[in-house]
Amino acid sequence: MDTLRQSPSPCSSRPSSPRTPPCETPAPVGIEAVLDQLKIKAMKTGFEFNIMVVGQSGLGKSTMVNTLFKSKVWKSTLPAPGVPTPQTLQLHSVTHVIEEKGLKLKLTVTDTPGFGDQINNSNCWEPILGYINEQYEQYLQEEILITRQRHIPDTRVHCCVYFVPPTGHCLRPLDIEFLQRLCRTVNVVPVIARADSLTIEEREAFRSRIQKDLKSHCIDVYPQKHFDEDVNDRILNSKIRERIPFAVVGADQEHLVNGRCVLGRKTNWGVIEVENMEHCEFPLLRDLLIRSHLQDLKDITHNIHYENYRVVRLKESHQLPRGPGWVNLSPVNLAPTSAGQPTTPRPSKARKRAQEEPKYEF
């Protein structure tokens, strides 16, 4: 009994030795279950992703979209021999639901047939920029409603893939003029179309000239350097910026190569494998758009490009917030008073600062 009394209890209040483990370890709270909750919710609701492809006819835009998502998202019809390619200024959108391992992706692809195909291409970018701003306006009108939907349909363009023709020289004046306007409104990812028409040396020289043109004309394509949040993003995005524009080849047909089926284009001297990095850089484009930066494209669209448009619209309405979270904006212009006259806000410091801020061009 004495020995039992003298032996210290395992749960005694005495300070234990550093080598002695604590008698009780705290049980986990279960914070990691939040990831499971987010996964279950994402499986139920799915995702939305809207992409636009811009470029001249015959550069393989529809084929590239089908190759990216391994599905017949866009059905392109080739004209008969001797029949010229139809040219139109109207934009065409198609929505396709892709399901993979129980996860649904609502994909909307907007094509721009006829862009740059006319003899006079002045202001040919206006329908494209007008369409992008129109989607921002629709989202804004839904957002400012007093009773709004729980989930606002998102038709805003999250990414624009710009197809540069494989000339091997440099960017054309049309490309420079359009990209300068486009990069202020949407995330732009330029690619060298039909890169199999260039040799490896020509491809690298062409890429270097395009990078110099983008830098000299202050064209900030995605991923933007000033949006890198941490060191890991900076390292990854810097590697991507070194390879932009990607030299890509699109193909939606499978061929048998060394006993395995591969996506590629069959030629007289062999098969150009789309997913082979030695043949083209399509895997880099796919990883950027889908596997690594899809959510970041959506976040920048909402937090940067859409917010810029929203600021301009609020300034144009001459209405200023009257308190935390207050928005007073009518779909037409100003909210009328009971006498039928538009309200005139009092001059304030906030309004003075808003007038001094630089305006964005759209």
Side-chain angles (χ1 to χ4, degrees):
M1 294 294 293
D2 295 336
T3 56
L4 290 176
R5 290 177 182 175
Q6 294 176 359
S7 61
S9 173
C11 294
S12 176
S13 59
R14 296 180 182 177
S16 58
S17 170
R19 298 180 181 179
T20 306
C23 59
E24 294 182 359
T25 57
V29 179
I31 300 177
E32 70 277 1
V34 177
L35 298 177
D36 297 333
Q37 298 174 30
L38 294 175
K39 182 178 179 180
I40 294 174
K41 184 177 180 180
M43 298 286 283
K44 291 180 180 179
T45 58
F47 293 92
E48 295 174 332
F49 189 63
N50 308 318
I51 186 173
M52 174 183 282
V53 288
V54 179
Q56 288 182 339
S57 301
L59 293 181
K61 300 187 297 294
S62 304
T63 305
M64 178 59 61
V65 172
N66 295 337
T67 309
L68 277 172
F69 298 95
K70 294 186 178 180
S71 178
K72 295 293 182 179
V73 177
W74 195 274
K75 297 180 180 179
S76 58
T77 56
L78 297 176
V83 179
T85 304
Q87 299 179 0
T88 176
L89 296 177
Q90 296 181 354
L91 280 71
H92 300 292
S93 299
V94 61
T95 300
H96 191 76
V97 178
I98 302 176
E99 186 172 356
E100 181 177 300
K101 296 182 179 180
L103 184 63
K104 294 182 180 180
L105 174 66
K106 184 180 178 182
L107 174 69
T108 301
V109 180
T110 303
D111 193 8
T112 57
F115 171 78
D117 296 340
Q118 309 296 329
I119 297 177
N120 184 9
N121 291 310
S122 59
N123 300 328
C124 63
W125 49 78
E126 289 184 355
I128 298 174
L129 296 177
Y131 175 84
I132 296 174
N133 290 329
E134 182 182 352
Q135 310 313 309
Y136 289 151
E137 182 67 22
Q138 291 180 5
Y139 193 91
L140 177 63
Q141 295 302 328
E142 289 289 339
E143 191 180 44
I144 63 178
L145 293 176
I146 297 177
T147 304
R148 58 185 180 183
Q149 305 181 42
R150 184 176 181 182
H151 175 72
I152 301 177
D154 190 3
T155 60
R156 298 169 296 181
V157 179
H158 300 129
C159 179
C160 178
V161 181
Y162 188 82
F163 286 72
V164 179
T167 60
H169 301 291
C170 58
L171 290 177
R172 303 169 300 172
L174 173 63
D175 300 327
I176 296 174
E177 191 74 18
F178 179 60
L179 288 174
Q180 284 179 335
R181 289 170 166 80
L182 192 65
C183 66
R184 306 172 190 168
T185 313
V186 70
N187 299 313
V188 182
V189 178
V191 297
I192 301 175
R194 296 191 176 276
D196 53 328
S197 61
L198 302 173
T199 64
I200 297 179
E201 292 78 9
E202 292 173 343
R203 182 193 306 174
E204 294 302 322
F206 189 32
R207 190 204 317 273
S208 178
R209 296 190 189 100
I210 293 177
Q211 290 177 349
K212 291 181 180 178
D213 289 341
L214 295 176
K215 185 177 181 180
S216 61
H217 293 89
C218 300
I219 300 174
D220 197 11
V221 298
Y222 184 86
Q224 297 89 338
K225 189 174 183 179
H226 50 280
F227 291 157
D228 296 341
E229 296 182 353
D230 53 26
V231 178
N232 295 330
D233 291 344
R234 194 178 303 112
I235 295 175
L236 175 61
N237 293 339
S238 62
K239 294 180 180 179
I240 295 174
R241 284 187 284 266
E242 292 176 358
R243 305 303 302 172
I244 282 182
F246 300 131
V248 298
V249 176
D252 52 5
Q253 295 182 358
E254 292 185 346
H255 301 277
L256 190 63
V257 178
N258 298 328
R260 57 189 180 91
C261 291
V262 296
L263 282 173
R265 297 182 61 190
K266 189 174 182 180
T267 62
N268 294 331
W269 53 85
V271 176
I272 302 173
E273 301 180 21
V274 171
E275 298 181 340
N276 190 341
M277 280 293 297
E278 296 181 357
H279 295 183
C280 72
E281 296 173 342
F282 168 79
L284 298 180
L285 177 64
R286 178 190 57 196
D287 293 346
L288 174 68
L289 297 180
I290 303 175
R291 299 184 178 181
S292 62
H293 288 69
L294 187 147
Q295 188 59 44
D296 187 63
L297 285 165
K298 298 180 64 175
D299 292 341
I300 292 181
T301 299
H302 180 77
N303 299 325
I304 305 298
H305 298 300
Y306 170 70
E307 283 298 318
N308 292 342
Y309 180 85
R310 179 175 174 271
V311 167
V312 173
R313 287 289 288 114
L314 290 175
K315 289 180 181 179
E316 290 177 351
S317 67
H318 302 288
Q319 294 293 314
L320 294 174
R322 302 182 183 178
W326 176 272
V327 175
N328 186 4
L329 175 67
S330 64
V332 181
N333 192 353
L334 296 175
T337 59
S338 57
Q341 298 295 331
T343 58
T344 304
R346 298 179 179 177
S348 61
K349 295 181 180 180
R351 184 172 183 179
K352 185 177 181 181
R353 288 196 303 267
Q355 292 176 349
E356 293 175 354
E357 291 178 359
K359 292 186 177 180
Y360 295 87
E361 298 180 2
F362 293 95

